């Protein structure tokens, strides 16, 4: 069974519809016992890092997710669910502080800074580059330079290159758009909103 985690971050209708294309064995749930029994977990949602971690911690999900990964079971983070996989973020109202993430992937979440010609958030269609076709399970069959749908103002920095299976270019830099580390997977973009190619990424995860 796949648990699509309901942790109060919203915007999941299109994801549930996309998952249902490939399996009926899933639940959108906030029940911690159901999540503990899941074979795979999808951590979705849009929103603020600080609020996401607050919700995960208060509901007891943070430790459950870490136990799930320790048990070598698969986890997919999407958008804010991707960002909380990392060590910390400075997306907080308290200047000069950071919020700890789950720490499942090495790296830190930081805001796009310092360019006057480009908009933040990074929103809309953009390409994936540098797909490591021999080292990826999530992007199996996904062509290099495939377009995906992004909406975010923050991105990971300081990520171990071995954990990165695709990059994206924006704001005059290359940032990790897909990570894979053992049974932990993450996409900064929304595969469920990225047409047939994005749906193929969800299909790959479901069929792991």
């Amino acid at each position: 069974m796949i648990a699509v985690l309901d942790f109060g971050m919203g915007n999941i209708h299109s994801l549930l519809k996309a998952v249902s294309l490939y399996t009926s064995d899933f639940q959108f749930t906030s029940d911690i016992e159901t999540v503990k029994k899941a074979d795979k977990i999808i951590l979705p949602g849009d929103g603020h890092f600080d609020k996401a971690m607050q919700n995960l911690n208060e509901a007891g999900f943070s430790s459950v997710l870490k136990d799930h990964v320790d048990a070598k079971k698969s986890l997919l983070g999407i958008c804010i669910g991707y960002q909380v996989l990392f060590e910390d973020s400075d997306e907080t109202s308290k200047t000069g502080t950071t919020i700890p993430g789950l720490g499942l992937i090495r790296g830190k979440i930081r805001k796009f800074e310092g360019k006057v010609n480009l908009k933040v958030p990074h929103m809309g269609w953009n390409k994936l580059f540098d797909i490591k076709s021999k080292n990826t399970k999530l992007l199996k069959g996904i062509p290099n330079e495939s377009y995906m749908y992004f909406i975010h103002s923050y991105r990971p920095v300081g990520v171990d290159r071995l954990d990165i299976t695709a990059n994206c270019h924006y704001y005059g830099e290359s940032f990790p758009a897909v990570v894979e580390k053992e049974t932990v997977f993450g996409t900064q973009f929304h595969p469920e909103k990225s047409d047939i190619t994005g749906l193929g990424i969800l299909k790959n995860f479901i069929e792991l």
Side-chain angles (χ1 to χ4, degrees):
M1 186 270 291
I2 299 173
V4 181
L5 195 60
D6 177 8
F7 65 114
M9 298 310 291
N11 199 17
I12 49 78
H13 176 74
S14 56
L15 175 63
L16 298 178
K17 184 176 180 181
V19 171
S20 73
L21 295 174
Y22 304 108
T23 182
S24 59
D25 190 18
F26 73 96
Q27 293 186 45
F28 178 52
T29 181
S30 60
D31 178 67
I32 199 163
E33 294 304 320
T34 300
V35 176
K36 287 179 179 179
K37 295 174 184 176
D39 302 303
K40 298 184 179 79
I41 296 174
I42 299 177
L43 187 59
D46 290 331
H48 197 276
F49 189 102
D50 194 351
K51 179 63 174 174
M53 285 308 305
Q54 179 183 334
N55 290 0
L56 289 171
N57 290 332
E58 288 180 354
F61 286 137
S62 295
S63 60
V64 171
L65 291 169
K66 292 174 184 178
D67 289 344
H68 180 88
V69 171
D70 286 344
K72 305 300 182 185
K73 296 193 286 186
S74 298
L75 169 65
L76 171 63
I78 296 172
C79 197
I80 196 63
Y82 169 72
Q83 294 189 359
V84 298
L85 299 176
F86 293 90
E87 294 172 291
D88 66 42
S89 174
D90 62 359
E91 188 179 13
T92 171
S93 58
K94 298 177 182 178
T95 304
T97 64
T98 59
I99 303 297
L102 295 172
L104 299 173
I105 301 284
R106 180 174 171 264
K108 300 174 184 301
I109 303 299
R110 298 294 182 265
K111 192 173 185 178
F112 287 113
E113 298 283 4
K115 308 288 182 180
V116 295
N117 320 353
L118 295 174
K119 295 180 180 178
V120 176
H122 170 213
M123 182 167 62
W125 296 90
N126 206 343
K127 293 179 182 178
L128 298 183
F129 292 96
D130 312 317
I131 292 178
K132 297 178 182 176
S133 57
K134 293 182 180 179
N135 301 320
T136 179
K137 296 177 182 178
L138 200 60
L139 301 180
K140 182 180 178 181
I142 305 300
N144 203 44
E145 300 192 22
S146 292
Y147 278 95
M148 298 294 161
Y149 186 79
F150 291 82
I151 178 167
H152 62 117
S153 299
Y154 292 72
R155 84 296 190 209
V157 299
V159 182
D160 189 328
R161 63 181 182 83
L162 296 177
D163 296 337
I164 303 169
T165 48
N167 289 302
C168 182
H169 303 329
Y170 191 67
Y171 236 66
E173 68 175 78
S174 178
F175 68 87
V178 183
V179 294
E180 303 182 36
K181 183 177 182 180
E182 298 179 353
T183 62
V184 180
F185 304 84
T187 67
Q188 178 60 77
F189 54 88
H190 287 274
E192 76 279 9
K193 297 180 180 180
S194 299
D195 204 27
I196 190 67
T197 311
L199 292 176
I201 294 172
L202 280 176
K203 183 174 184 287
N204 284 343
F205 178 76
I206 290 166
E207 294 181 351
L208 283 175

